[in-house]
């Protein structure tokens, strides 16, 4: 499916009336990847969900990115904000057809997922972040962290403590941000580096069943 106005490209697990009223989970890929990267995870996650995987808007090598990397000359927190607003413009009418909205982001996709929750807390039921981080940009007008403090976000954060990609400053900010803004489920997975393991996906499955589907464990 595509959004002609925004030229947004996305894959959806079911695009007929059977998806209406189902919980929606949106995959947000990492830097340099594309919308096909995470869609395969859906086979290991609860089948009650409809799965939507969105392509980031900026070209990045053979793939795409949500915003420039922080060390790039054209990076700015305003670029992050614009990408978040554009993503919500695409997702809002789709999410309105579903019973809930959950975001799953890998790497830079976790930054987008947590940022969207900081922008539209009431719309987001939970976030899954894999090998990623939250954006250090509290001054952004679109971020309403006060709402998160009043209504903490259920967040699953899985990572390898020795992740070679996510820089220490990003991890330190995220570690400081999550206690007061989220109901955190934190898991670490030695030896996965900057990737995803089946053990981690099984933990994500349990998190989604508990926090979104409200199923007994």
């Amino acid at each position: 499916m595509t959004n002609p106005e925004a030229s947004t490209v996305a894959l959806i697990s079911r695009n007929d009336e059977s998806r209406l009223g189902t919980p929606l989970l949106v995959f947000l890929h990492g830097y340099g990847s594309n919308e096909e990267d995470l869609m395969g995870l859906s086979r290991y996650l609860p089948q009650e969900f409809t799965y939507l995987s969105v392509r980031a808007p900026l070209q990045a090598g053979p793939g795409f990115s949500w915003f420039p990397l922080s060390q790039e000359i054209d990076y700015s927190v305003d670029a992050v904000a614009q990408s978040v607003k554009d993503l919500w413009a695409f997702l809002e009418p789709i999410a309105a057809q579903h019973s809930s909205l959950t975001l799953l982001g890998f790497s830079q996709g976790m930054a987008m997922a947590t940022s969207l929750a900081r922008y539209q807390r009431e719309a987001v039921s939970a976030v899954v972040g894999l090998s990623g981080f939250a954006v250090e940009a509290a001054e952004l007008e679109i971020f309403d962290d006060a709402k998160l403090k009043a209504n903490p976000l259920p967040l699953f954060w899985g990572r390898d403590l020795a992740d070679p990609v996510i820089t220490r400053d990003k991890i330190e900010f995220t570690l400081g941000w999550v206690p007061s803004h989220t109901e955190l489920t934190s898991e670490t997975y030695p030896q996965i580096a900057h990737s995803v393991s089946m053990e981690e996906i099984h933990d994500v499955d349990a998190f989604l069943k508990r926090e979104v589907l409200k199923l007994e464990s």
Side-chain angles (χ1 to χ4, degrees):
M1 63 185 298
T2 61
N3 178 347
E5 294 183 359
S7 299
T8 300
V9 177
L11 300 174
I12 195 164
S13 61
R14 46 186 166 185
N15 197 21
D16 54 28
E17 291 186 357
S18 69
R19 73 177 176 84
L20 300 178
T22 62
L24 179 68
L25 187 146
V26 177
F27 291 119
L28 303 171
H29 64 76
Y31 184 93
S33 189
N34 60 57
E35 72 283 3
E36 297 180 359
D37 183 43
L38 298 175
M39 198 63 170
L41 298 181
S42 62
R43 73 186 70 174
Y44 306 108
L45 300 177
Q47 293 309 297
E48 290 89 341
F49 285 89
T50 293
Y51 293 92
L52 176 71
S53 190
V54 184
R55 177 189 295 180
L58 305 177
Q59 193 75 42
F64 301 87
S65 71
W66 298 102
F67 50 85
L69 296 177
S70 56
Q71 67 266 30
E72 294 177 349
I73 193 168
D74 50 352
Y75 171 82
S76 69
V77 292
D78 290 332
V80 177
Q82 187 60 57
S83 187
V84 170
K85 289 189 288 187
D86 289 346
L87 177 62
W88 179 240
F90 173 69
L91 290 179
E92 184 177 17
I94 302 172
Q97 300 175 336
H98 292 267
S99 60
S100 64
L101 171 63
T102 301
L103 308 171
L104 187 157
F106 175 79
S107 193
Q108 192 184 64
M110 178 181 169
M112 282 295 292
T114 51
S115 294
L116 183 55
R118 296 164 82 177
Y119 176 43
Q120 296 289 335
R121 173 63 187 98
E122 296 90 347
V124 179
S125 295
V127 165
V128 174
L130 308 179
S131 301
F133 61 98
V135 173
E136 186 173 2
E139 73 278 9
L140 275 181
E141 290 185 3
I142 72 163
F143 285 175
D144 193 345
D145 280 2
K147 285 186 177 179
L148 285 170
K149 288 185 176 181
N151 183 19
L153 175 75
L155 172 67
F156 178 95
W157 185 20
R159 62 194 180 101
D160 185 341
L161 294 176
D163 187 320
V165 173
I166 306 303
T167 56
R168 175 49 52 185
D169 61 307
K170 292 181 174 63
I171 294 297
E172 289 179 352
F173 172 79
T174 307
L175 286 170
W177 180 82
V178 293
S180 58
H181 297 89
T182 74
E183 294 178 352
L184 179 64
T185 300
S186 178
E187 300 289 351
T188 58
Y189 304 91
Q191 311 302 321
I192 70 168
H194 192 65
S195 65
V196 177
S197 71
M198 283 307 305
E199 179 187 1
E200 184 175 26
I201 296 307
H202 290 153
D203 290 342
V204 171
D205 175 72
F207 172 84
L208 294 173
K209 288 174 178 174
R210 181 180 72 248
E211 298 294 340
V212 182
L213 301 181
K214 305 300 183 183
L215 300 176
E216 295 293 335
S217 58

